[in-house]
Amino acid sequence: MCGRFTLTAPEKEILFEFGLHDLPVDYMPRFNIAPGQNIWSIIHDGERKRAGLLQWGLIPPWAKDPKIGYKMINARSETAHEKPSFKHSMSKKRCLIIADSFYEWKKEKEKKQPVRIFPQDRKLFAFAGLWEKWKQEEEERFTCTILTKEANEFMGRIHERMPVILPKSMEEEWIKPVKRDPGEVHQFLEQLTMEDLESYPVSTLVNSAKNESKDCIRPLTEME
């Protein structure tokens, strides 16, 4: 599962890395992004890539209660193409979710130690995401979920699942504005390669979504 991540890079680096013209609303670095919050995402509208904020926790168009989104912050890449909640999004509503690290909790004896994880060779990356538009009477929401997969060897020492991080060369293909068979999208995800990761333990400050400061990403050795 992926339940917390960060986006701390300067705005100009985000624009350059993803080939964007601008960010439509004010940008602020985030050190402890949590489910239910708005997160920076990129779609392709058929003419160009466009960045915007999506609420983290996908609400299917048919849902009657928007609270279902809190149960859908992640979608298993192995089965999303078969699930009613995600099949439509897999077909035509794929997005990039911008990040520069994510957190996971490693079991150590009688406690869980939070760890910050990121690719070795790049500062910014994108999770493979799905998005949806939900509308009920006058209320309208644009929401998303992060796809996950079985942990690789590195992540397996920390947690059994991990988010799908798209190789830089595959980002454009993922959000290409074409309708695809969900099974085809599943095969695309299955064939992705994964670059090497790094990690370090951080403070339990990240356990609470109320904590939002640089101390969340500071190595635990510097906090002691």
Side-chain angles (χ1 to χ4, degrees):
M1 140 170 215
C2 177
R4 296 287 175 80
F5 67 97
T6 70
L7 181 56
T8 67
E11 181 176 347
K12 63 180 181 180
E13 289 187 15
I14 296 172
L15 296 177
F16 176 79
E17 180 69 20
F18 293 99
L20 299 168
H21 296 286
D22 57 32
L23 298 181
V25 297
D26 289 343
Y27 168 78
M28 291 183 61
R30 296 292 313 280
F31 301 93
N32 194 13
I33 300 170
Q37 297 176 352
N38 290 328
I39 58 179
W40 282 104
S41 308
I42 299 172
I43 65 167
H44 198 296
D45 64 8
E47 296 183 1
R48 64 183 179 93
K49 288 187 292 185
R50 205 152 47 86
L53 293 171
L54 297 173
Q55 183 179 324
W56 187 10
L58 189 140
I59 306 173
W62 44 261
K64 294 184 178 181
D65 187 350
K67 291 181 181 178
I68 195 174
Y70 287 99
K71 298 179 180 179
M72 297 192 181
I73 64 169
N74 292 158
R76 296 176 71 95
S77 63
E78 299 93 338
T79 58
H81 63 295
E82 303 171 338
K83 302 295 184 181
S85 299
F86 304 121
K87 284 175 66 175
H88 180 256
S89 301
M90 286 279 277
S91 175
K92 59 188 299 185
K93 292 185 176 178
R94 301 172 298 275
C95 64
L96 306 178
I97 296 173
I98 311 171
D100 56 18
S101 73
F102 63 98
Y103 297 112
E104 196 49 83
W105 281 256
K106 182 180 181 180
K107 290 183 180 180
E108 292 185 350
K109 296 181 181 179
E110 297 181 358
K111 68 173 185 176
K112 290 186 177 181
Q113 173 62 54
V115 178
R116 187 187 186 207
I117 305 146
F118 48 93
Q120 284 185 2
D121 299 325
R122 52 179 172 150
K123 294 181 180 179
L124 278 163
F125 60 87
F127 298 126
L130 306 173
W131 69 277
E132 273 292 359
K133 175 183 176 181
W134 177 86
K135 186 173 183 179
Q136 191 173 82
E137 297 179 353
E138 299 302 314
E139 186 177 6
E140 186 175 81
R141 299 190 193 185
F142 293 86
T143 64
C144 65
T145 188
I146 296 173
L147 285 155
T148 65
K149 64 179 183 178
E150 185 178 348
N152 62 14
E153 183 178 355
F154 177 89
M155 274 299 299
R157 299 191 292 267
I158 301 171
H159 195 270
E160 62 185 12
R161 302 287 297 175
M162 65 183 292
V164 175
I165 298 175
L166 289 163
K168 185 64 184 174
S169 61
M170 293 290 103
E171 290 174 354
E172 298 279 348
E173 186 66 22
W174 177 249
I175 59 170
K176 195 172 183 179
V178 294
K179 186 175 181 179
R180 289 181 168 144
D181 181 85
E184 178 188 343
V185 180
H186 167 70
Q187 290 299 317
F188 173 90
L189 292 169
E190 288 288 296
Q191 294 169 13
L192 291 179
T193 57
M194 180 68 184
E195 62 247 70
D196 293 332
L197 299 172
E198 293 184 16
S199 69
Y200 59 80
V202 294
S203 166
T204 52
L205 282 171
V206 303
N207 291 1
S208 172
K210 295 179 181 179
N211 295 324
E212 178 73 62
S213 72
K214 289 184 179 180
D215 283 339
C216 290
I217 64 171
R218 200 181 303 278
L220 187 59
T221 53
E222 296 181 10
M223 299 287 288
E224 296 174 345

